[in-house]
Amino acid sequence: MKKTLMVALAFVGTSALHAAPTVSDVAVAFDGTTRMMTIGYSLSEKAVVTVDIQTNGVSIGAEKFADVAGDVNGVVKAGRGTISWRPEHLWPEQKFDTPIFTAQVKAWALDAPPPYLVVWLNEEKGKVRYYESEAALPGGIGDNVYRTKRLVMSRIPAKGVTWRMGSPSTETGRQANETPHYVTFTNDYYMSVFPVTEGQGILVWGHKPAVNVFGNDGYPVGFCSYNAIRGTKGGTPDIDWPSTTTNVAPDSFLGKLRGKTSLMFDIPTEAQWEYAARAGSPTGYCNNLDCLTAEDAEDANLEKLGWYRKKDNARHVVGLKQANTWGLYDVCGTIWEWTRDWVGTGAVAAYDAADVTDPPGLTSGTWRSRRGGCYDNVPYAARCAFRTANTPDTANGNISFRLYLPVSEVVGK
């Protein structure tokens, strides 16, 4: 098997590995009275459908038609579909003439859906919509609705990829437990673009997740233990990844979220978290940025990506810094994030150097891993490879979590 230090992948609509459904008979009409554009098309088989609206063969930009409605951005049955769009809503400065517009309607196989997935947590609970890019999200990623009332997930291109996990001996701030080794994944997955927020936690639990919350729905949720997220080892039911596989307690955060959405959400394993955080970057931080200091000091590269102790040392709303290449915010700095893995008994054991496929972590332990650094910690702890842990009943204000969802679990929903 060929090995690479790290791979940087670009998304295409439907992978060449999948046979794509076909779209035909696309027709565009514009009603000058209602100011409504209608796009009709025929779909060969059930698929996810997205659209790109163009003038003179060039896209007008997804942000200008993010409010399209009808048989689009979701799973559509075979047959005739219709999409509607009122141009002046998001593109008021333009004049409209039907002949200059064309529509590129794309069908995505159900096992290869688009890069972005949005799940409603409040109105129309569990509704799922798909988008081809961050720019296509209605209102844009800066709309507070995506921090508080809906979950935005980015697809991580992992299927068949072999990559190097851990860190080289020359990396600034490196720890002994970050043994370089090669990991192979068998499937793609989605990761939430933000850590779970207080607003989202309230909608899922039905109440504030802890007494000690910080009063801003856009802050990462804190004071949330691993046990509160997934369930307790030795409890009823017994929840003990990986021995009890993906089971979670019904009254846990994930149990309630699965009940609301019928989707098999979880938190990522260490390998899934690190691969998604890196997004193809072999350096200490994501976006090909190196960690600049092994001291408790300022780091100009980390400042671009997240919050840390020597720079502000305070909680912040998620999504204010640079996203990584795959659209994930706050993976370096800002808030610690739980992962699923056992990592040892009072210390984080070094990785075995052997090659592994879809590693689940240790089979037992007393500590669960957390990743990503934090607003009140040193810069080098925000490196993609840095590992630390707590007992699973720990509920601190500086530990949150990010959501994981296998692509196979959203097929057809």
Side-chain angles (χ1 to χ4, degrees):
M1 179 180 292
K2 183 179 179 180
K3 299 175 182 177
T4 58
L5 291 183
M6 175 55 65
V7 291
L9 303 177
F11 281 119
V12 294
T14 301
S15 167
L17 298 177
H18 301 273
T22 60
V23 172
S24 60
D25 302 324
V26 177
V28 178
F30 183 71
D31 188 319
T33 302
T34 64
R35 311 296 293 169
M36 182 71 75
M37 177 179 289
T38 301
I39 303 163
Y41 66 90
S42 295
L43 183 64
S44 65
E45 59 186 274
K46 189 177 181 181
V48 176
V49 172
T50 60
V51 67
D52 181 26
I53 297 174
Q54 304 177 344
T55 60
N56 301 317
V58 178
S59 176
I60 66 171
E63 70 280 359
K64 294 183 174 69
F65 58 86
D67 59 347
V68 289
D71 300 315
V72 66
N73 299 131
V75 177
V76 179
K77 296 179 180 179
R80 195 69 184 162
T82 302
I83 302 169
S84 59
W85 173 54
R86 196 183 298 275
E88 61 262 36
H89 281 180
L90 296 179
W91 205 23
E93 72 276 13
Q94 298 298 315
K95 303 274 185 194
F96 306 105
D97 181 16
T98 302
I100 70 171
F101 285 103
T102 57
Q104 297 294 318
V105 181
K106 182 182 290 186
W108 303 70
L110 296 181
D111 59 353
Y116 280 82
L117 171 73
V118 178
V119 181
W120 270 241
L121 295 178
N122 56 343
E123 75 280 6
E124 301 182 73
K125 289 185 179 67
K127 184 172 79 170
V128 173
R129 288 290 179 267
Y130 300 88
Y131 300 93
E132 194 162 352
S133 67
E134 180 185 286
L137 298 174
I141 194 64
D143 191 324
N144 204 46
V145 70
Y146 299 121
R147 292 173 171 84
T148 58
K149 296 180 179 179
R150 297 173 194 170
L151 292 171
V152 183
M153 313 285 289
S154 176
R155 185 175 172 188
I156 308 303
K159 186 174 182 178
V161 172
T162 296
W163 61 288
R164 190 200 66 197
M165 188 176 181
S167 63
S169 60
T170 55
E171 186 168 296
T172 300
R174 183 183 189 273
Q175 307 296 300
N177 62 16
E178 299 165 12
T179 316
H181 61 292
Y182 286 94
V183 175
T184 301
F185 288 126
T186 54
N187 289 293
D188 289 355
Y189 55 95
Y190 284 100
M191 286 275 278
S192 59
V193 302
F194 303 130
V196 171
T197 64
E198 290 187 3
Q200 293 164 340
I202 291 169
L203 286 174
V204 172
W205 265 299
H207 57 80
K208 289 188 176 182
V211 174
N212 297 310
V213 293
F214 294 89
N216 188 316
D217 285 354
Y219 283 167
V221 64
F223 295 99
C224 185
S225 69
Y226 179 101
N227 291 344
I229 298 166
R230 300 195 81 255
T232 306
K233 179 181 178 180
T236 305
D238 185 13
I239 304 300
D240 185 18
W241 168 267
S243 63
T244 58
T245 65
T246 58
N247 294 343
V248 297
D251 61 348
S252 67
F253 178 93
L254 289 170
K256 289 182 176 293
L257 181 60
R258 291 179 183 184
K260 286 178 179 291
T261 63
S262 298
L263 297 172
M264 289 292 288
F265 284 102
D266 214 315
I267 55 176
T269 63
E270 278 205 272
Q272 290 161 349
W273 188 96
E274 184 174 326
Y275 178 71
R278 287 187 178 280
S281 176
T283 53
Y285 303 138
C286 63
N287 294 359
N288 294 312
L289 295 172
D290 287 307
C291 175
L292 300 179
T293 178
E295 307 297 329
D296 190 3
E298 291 192 11
D299 186 324
N301 282 347
L302 180 56
E303 189 174 343
K304 299 172 185 177
L305 304 171
W307 310 95
Y308 63 102
R309 185 155 64 204
K310 287 295 183 179
K311 203 68 177 180
D312 201 35
N313 191 24
R315 292 171 63 89
H316 288 274
V317 169
V318 298
L320 300 182
K321 299 285 190 173
Q322 287 182 9
N324 73 8
T325 301
W326 293 334
L328 306 187
Y329 294 81
D330 301 302
V331 289
C332 294
T334 303
I335 198 76
W336 289 110
E337 300 176 18
W338 288 109
T339 76
R340 252 183 284 173
D341 297 19
W342 287 118
V343 292
T345 56
V348 181
Y351 294 123
D352 191 304
D355 297 359
V356 288
T357 298
D358 296 326
L362 301 179
T363 57
S364 63
T366 58
W367 292 61
R368 294 285 187 178
S369 166
R370 55 181 167 91
R371 292 296 207 103
C374 185
Y375 65 88
D376 64 354
N377 217 304
V378 295
Y380 64 83
R383 292 176 304 110
C384 295
F386 187 87
R387 309 172 67 212
T388 189
N390 284 97
T391 57
D393 60 349
T394 300
N396 290 340
N398 63 2
I399 311 175
S400 189
F401 61 103
R402 192 179 298 263
L403 292 168
Y404 154 91
L405 187 65
V407 165
S408 61
E409 292 294 338
V410 301
V411 171
K413 296 182 180 179

